[in-house]
Amino acid sequence: MAVQAVESRTSVPSAAAPFGPAVALSCRECGERFELGPSFACTSCFGPLEVAYELPAGDPEALRRRIEAGPANIWRYAPLLPVPADVADRPNLEPGLTRLVKADNLAAELGVTGELYVKDDSGNPTHSFKDRVVAIAVEAARAFGFTTLSCSSTGNLAGAVGAAAARAGFRSCVFIPHDLEAGKVVMAAVYGGDLVGIEGTYDDVNRFCSELIGDPLGEGWGFVNVNLRPYYGEGSKTLAYEICEQLGWRLPDQIVVPVASGSQLTKIDKGLKELIALGLVEDRPYRIFGAQAQGCSPVSRAYKDGHDVVRPVKPDTIAKSLAIGNPADGPYVLDIARRTGGAVEDVDDERIVDAIRLLARTEGIFAETAGGVTVGVTRKLLENGVLDPALTTVVLNTGDGLKTLDAVAAGPTATIRPSLEAFRAAGLREQ
């Protein structure tokens, strides 16, 4: 479908519109606007496209009440998303409204004196934040008449697409690197769609999908993170919405976000700015920090070197969900970190595993490797005096540790005979 330029609209779409308050696609680089369609790049400058809105105007308190009266999932924020008003009534996985855990035990371990929270998105239907973004992409796929849902994935997205497609009645065919963790492969395959392993890295998989879009073989396919990417990315805004609502409609002072492509971090910033513009939260400074694994840290490296350009790298880390060597939104992550007074940092695999164990031991949250990255980077930022321990801080855990079991070695404390004498001899009672 060709991308058509449009003039800015002044009227708010009707409640029956398939994209709700969305009015156009807008180029992040040159600002040119285009009709809403399955497009992801500006035809003038090749910059990335994102959804532009005419958001609800009027009484912020009335909008707050409307949101709070909505369903206990991301569709409570439908008035702020590119979805139809009746989206909650359609077959979907109903992701979102996951726990915001007040992490006092972790705070004590890290020396945090202010409030520390973990936004635990492992509680989503397929146990990662990807259910949020896929839910929005599914609605766009419906609107454009696609029959097959597809994606390139480091694992979590493949499972989310497979599950969402099964629930919504789409065929699915997803593509992954051939060497993903076994748990993620099983979770992507179990929903009955086609799962294709590609020999190479995620970046190789992504390039292949871009070629498939332009081939007759891809006719009728919606690639959630390629030709549906502008809509898909908007799902990450709901993390920002939920965090602020769960904090009593206030902004966190600091937030630590894992960086793979960088889209999640940029959309969280977009969501926070929208809440401010709508008067739903007080307008005050906040700082956003990006977290990467040292074995795939092109954005962190660019930040530390003072560069605006992110140089691609070949990933080599246990944090495979973050192993994107050429992150599309990397330059925008740099802009946001610098604008908000944040930073982008990385940790090695050993510290990732230590952080997974720390979060599990202190708060009972078993994070996948990406969660180990955010907790590990949080600890490192505190040690280096970059993160303020006295402020309200939110750390994201974006997936379940059961998906990355190979990263952490654990087993029984002891194996004994079934007798009290054996238990006493093991000395466990005194520990």
Side-chain angles (χ1 to χ4, degrees):
M1 180 182 291
V3 184
Q4 299 294 324
V6 298
E7 295 183 359
S8 178
R9 293 171 56 172
T10 57
S11 60
V12 178
S14 71
F19 298 105
V23 294
L25 295 178
S26 177
C27 177
R28 283 197 204 171
E29 292 296 322
C30 70
E32 186 170 356
R33 287 193 165 198
F34 303 91
E35 289 181 356
L36 293 164
S39 306
F40 60 97
C42 175
T43 55
S44 296
C45 72
F46 303 107
L49 300 179
E50 66 175 0
V51 179
Y53 298 91
E54 288 181 1
L55 293 173
D59 180 12
E61 191 56 42
L63 180 55
R64 275 196 208 96
R65 289 194 299 268
R66 179 180 175 185
I67 290 170
E68 291 168 353
N73 52 58
I74 63 170
W75 305 132
R76 67 201 285 113
Y77 307 110
L80 312 180
L81 296 170
V83 295
D86 65 349
V87 64
D89 300 327
R90 302 180 176 206
N92 69 87
L93 296 180
E94 301 179 357
L97 212 60
T98 54
R99 300 185 304 160
L100 183 68
V101 179
K102 193 166 188 293
D104 292 341
N105 296 330
L106 179 61
E109 287 270 351
L110 297 179
V112 172
T113 56
E115 295 178 349
L116 178 64
Y117 296 88
V118 176
K119 180 59 172 170
D120 184 16
D121 242 29
S122 67
N124 276 308
T126 68
H127 308 289
S128 90
F129 90 96
K130 292 295 188 181
D131 291 319
R132 298 174 181 272
V133 291
V134 171
I136 308 295
V138 165
E139 295 310 312
R142 289 190 212 269
F144 298 134
F146 289 133
T147 56
T148 298
L149 287 181
S150 187
C151 68
S152 52
S153 173
T154 58
N156 283 327
L157 180 58
V161 168
R167 173 71 177 139
F170 287 85
R171 173 181 178 248
S172 69
C173 182
V174 300
F175 301 89
I176 58 173
H178 69 286
D179 60 349
L180 284 187
E181 302 97 334
K184 290 182 179 177
V185 173
V186 171
M187 192 163 195
V190 74
Y191 301 109
D194 292 321
L195 177 67
V196 181
I198 300 291
E199 295 177 357
T201 66
Y202 170 81
D203 298 292
D204 296 319
V205 179
N206 201 39
R207 280 192 293 271
F208 168 77
C209 288
S210 296
E211 293 175 10
L212 186 55
I213 287 175
D215 189 275
L217 286 170
E219 184 70 27
W221 287 35
F223 290 80
V224 300
N225 56 344
V226 188
N227 60 349
L228 296 177
R229 186 176 180 84
Y231 312 92
Y232 158 94
E234 296 297 285
S236 289
K237 295 193 311 182
T238 61
L239 279 161
Y241 299 158
E242 286 179 22
I243 288 168
C244 291
E245 182 181 356
Q246 290 169 322
L247 287 175
W249 293 107
R250 62 186 174 96
L251 294 168
D253 298 311
Q254 304 171 136
I255 183 167
V256 185
V257 183
V259 173
S261 71
S263 175
Q264 183 184 65
L265 186 148
T266 65
K267 297 306 181 184
I268 286 175
D269 178 62
K270 183 178 180 181
L272 296 177
K273 290 193 293 185
E274 287 176 352
L275 293 180
I276 292 170
L278 290 164
L280 293 175
V281 297
E282 179 187 354
D283 184 2
R284 58 182 180 79
Y286 59 85
R287 303 168 73 197
I288 296 184
F289 298 83
Q292 292 204 292
Q294 189 176 94
C296 186
S297 54
V299 186
S300 173
R301 187 174 305 172
Y303 176 82
K304 293 174 183 177
D305 291 343
H307 295 161
D308 296 324
V309 176
V310 177
R311 294 184 61 183
V313 301
K314 185 175 181 179
D316 181 17
T317 173
I318 61 170
K320 293 183 179 180
S321 62
L322 302 184
I324 297 180
N326 188 17
D329 284 272
Y332 303 105
V333 170
L334 294 173
D335 290 344
I336 290 167
R338 289 164 178 158
R339 171 175 57 79
T340 65
V344 188
E345 185 55 270
D346 58 81
V347 285
D348 62 24
D349 286 356
E350 181 179 355
R351 293 192 70 156
I352 292 170
V353 174
D354 288 345
I356 291 172
R357 292 180 176 277
L358 175 63
L359 182 59
R361 175 171 58 81
T362 57
E363 300 298 343
I365 298 172
F366 185 19
E368 70 163 37
T369 48
V373 170
T374 53
V375 174
V377 163
T378 299
R379 171 187 258 176
K380 187 173 181 179
L381 291 170
L382 287 163
E383 291 170 350
N384 294 341
V386 179
L387 206 67
D388 190 333
L391 298 180
T392 297
T393 304
V394 176
V395 179
L396 266 61
N397 172 44
T398 52
D400 195 319
L402 292 174
K403 295 186 176 189
T404 55
L405 289 174
D406 291 349
V408 181
T413 304
T415 301
I416 63 171
R417 300 185 311 277
S419 70
L420 292 174
E421 290 78 11
F423 181 67
R424 289 191 182 98
L428 299 177
R429 187 181 177 202
E430 287 77 26
Q431 291 180 7

